Amino acid sequence: MTEEPNPYLANPRWVVAELVADAARRRYPADILAIGVHGSLAHGDDTDTSDVDLVVVTYRPGAGPRPVARRVDGVLVDLGVVAADEYLRHARTLSTSWPLAADQYVTTKPIYDPEACLEKLRDVHLGRLAEARNAEFTALAREAWCRGASAHARATRLAAWYETDAALVMLAEARLSAATVIGLLTRTYFRNGADAVHRTGVAGADLAELGTILRDQAKDLADRGRPVDGTVSDLFDR
């Protein structure tokens, strides 16, 4: 019987991922619990310009390889390292970055995972989402809105000073924050920042348009019981 060829071997990014994973296991055989890929490679829609995003899960903090980024055989590799307990703690935590972080918890394809650690990570995260109240997400959305409003104000000021390049940097930051607000309010997570601004429709928003979006978001947050404006004492209320 002829053995079926491994389709991943035709993909140079998978080849590099496998090589890195094998090397890590040889060097740190007693430290590594699991190795997986996330990002476009895990989703199966990577291209010739895609990075290889690897995560190494270790038994103990500080064990295993060090986090590093390097180009290997023409492929950019981003190697993250995290202890299992810390990774599970991250998966249980909701933060303003949740729309940009959740995809890694939910869609990580294992290269080496004999104890199904990555599957447990996904289940823990999904369980946390299932028990989360809407108030948690709206509180986080308000924090993200404040960051977006601050970046928008700085972009406006820089544009008035004809600091165009710096203004564009702040504008990009404000767009991403506005997209994050949408993600939190709708419980939608994104592949990355570019995906976030594209799917939420803010990618092409100029300063005036983004200002309108932020004003509408402020009204929405107020309607949901999380106004962006308050008193000094409100800063210390949960």
Side-chain angles (χ1 to χ4, degrees), residues 43-114:
H43 282 275
D45 56 8
D46 55 299
T47 68
D48 289 342
T49 61
S50 298
D51 300 347
V52 170
D53 298 304
L54 279 161
V55 60
V56 174
V57 184
T58 62
Y59 287 101
R60 300 173 303 279
R66 62 183 177 86
V68 66
R70 194 68 55 84
R71 189 162 61 181
V72 178
D73 293 338
V75 176
L76 285 171
V77 177
D78 188 347
L79 180 67
V81 182
V82 62
D85 289 345
E86 182 182 0
Y87 211 13
L88 287 173
R89 186 165 61 251
H90 290 332
R92 294 188 186 100
T93 302
L94 296 179
S95 69
T96 55
S97 63
W98 174 82
L100 302 177
D103 187 67
Q104 182 173 341
Y105 305 134
V106 178
T107 311
T108 296
K109 185 178 288 291
I111 294 179
Y112 170 76
D113 190 10

Side-chain angles (χ1 to χ4, degrees), residues 11-221:
N11 185 326
R13 289 162 296 285
W14 268 110
V15 171
V16 169
E18 294 277 4
L19 289 173
V20 173
D22 289 346
R25 290 179 57 198
R26 285 196 304 272
R27 291 196 180 200
Y28 307 95
D31 295 326
I32 293 177
L33 174 62
I35 303 175
V37 296
H38 54 96
S40 59
L41 195 57
H43 282 275
D45 56 8
D46 55 299
T47 68
D48 289 342
T49 61
S50 298
D51 300 347
V52 170
D53 298 304
L54 279 161
V55 60
V56 174
V57 184
T58 62
Y59 287 101
R60 300 173 303 279
R66 62 183 177 86
V68 66
R70 194 68 55 84
R71 189 162 61 181
V72 178
D73 293 338
V75 176
L76 285 171
V77 177
D78 188 347
L79 180 67
V81 182
V82 62
D85 289 345
E86 182 182 0
Y87 211 13
L88 287 173
R89 186 165 61 251
H90 290 332
R92 294 188 186 100
T93 302
L94 296 179
S95 69
T96 55
S97 63
W98 174 82
L100 302 177
D103 187 67
Q104 182 173 341
Y105 305 134
V106 178
T107 311
T108 296
K109 185 178 288 291
I111 294 179
Y112 170 76
D113 190 10
E115 299 182 30
C117 165
L118 298 173
E119 182 178 341
K120 180 181 179 181
L121 183 83
R122 181 197 64 206
D123 292 345
V124 163
H125 184 68
L126 293 177
R128 177 67 179 92
L129 291 181
E131 68 182 22
R133 299 171 299 157
N134 287 335
E136 292 182 75
F137 279 95
T138 52
L140 293 170
R142 180 169 61 183
E143 290 184 37
W145 183 92
C146 289
R147 294 179 184 175
S150 175
H152 181 263
R154 282 180 284 170
T156 302
R157 184 173 64 253
L158 288 164
W161 293 343
Y162 299 101
E163 295 285 350
T164 306
D165 291 340
L168 287 173
V169 172
M170 288 296 99
L171 178 59
E173 185 176 321
R175 286 170 175 163
L176 183 56
S177 293
T180 301
V181 171
I182 297 171
L184 289 165
L185 292 178
T186 61
R187 298 198 183 201
T188 301
Y189 64 87
F190 309 106
R191 299 273 293 273
N192 48 50
D195 182 48
V197 297
H198 172 71
R199 288 173 56 190
T200 56
V202 302
D206 60 21
L207 278 172
E209 293 168 333
L210 192 56
T212 300
I213 291 170
L214 289 168
R215 284 193 295 273
D216 290 343
Q217 288 181 344
K219 183 179 183 302
D220 188 12
L221 286 165

